[in-house]
Amino acid sequence: MRSHKLRNAAKNQQCAVQILGVCNFNPETVVLAHLPSTTHGMAYKSDDIWAVDCFSSCHYVFDGRVPFEWLAGEKE
């Protein structure tokens, strides 16, 4: 499920993830970041209801585009 209302509502929100030492605290970079769920798979994002407002720097780490050493169970 894709929701333009949810995606648009992310604009100028605060980061819900705020990874220590990574977050840029810049609301101009906020996106709706999809979380792992039963509705996602290879090359398919989770539904928009399984997402959080997230600044670009945290989103890149969360998606694995930027390396980060997660503590055990931290990412989940």
Side-chain angles (χ1 to χ4, degrees), residues 3 6 8 26 34 37 56 62 64 70 74 76:
S3 168
L6 284 175
N8 292 338
N26 182 355
H34 294 87
S37 76
S56 60
F62 201 66
W70 296 98
E74 188 176 31
E76 292 76 25

Side-chain angles (χ1 to χ4, degrees), residues 43-64:
Y44 182 77
K45 292 182 181 180
S46 300
D47 290 340
D48 285 351
I49 59 171
W50 296 102
V52 295
D53 300 332
C54 190
F55 295 157
S56 60
S57 54
C58 292
H59 189 219
Y60 295 153
V61 167
F62 201 66
D63 276 356

Side-chain angles (χ1 to χ4, degrees), residues 6-76:
L6 284 175
R7 290 170 183 233
N8 292 338
K11 186 175 182 176
N12 294 318
Q13 295 299 312
Q14 293 300 310
C15 183
V17 180
Q18 295 185 5
I19 301 170
L20 188 62
V22 172
C23 193
N24 62 21
F25 298 98
N26 182 355
E28 293 178 9
T29 69
V30 72
V31 295
L32 191 66
H34 294 87
L35 303 170
S37 76
T38 57
T39 64
H40 88 291
M42 187 66 101
Y44 182 77
K45 292 182 181 180
S46 300
D47 290 340
D48 285 351
I49 59 171
W50 296 102
V52 295
D53 300 332
C54 190
F55 295 157
S56 60
S57 54
C58 292
H59 189 219
Y60 295 153
V61 167
F62 201 66
D63 276 356
R65 289 181 256 170
V66 172
F68 186 79
E69 291 189 34
W70 296 98
L71 298 177
E74 188 176 31
K75 186 174 180 180
E76 292 76 25

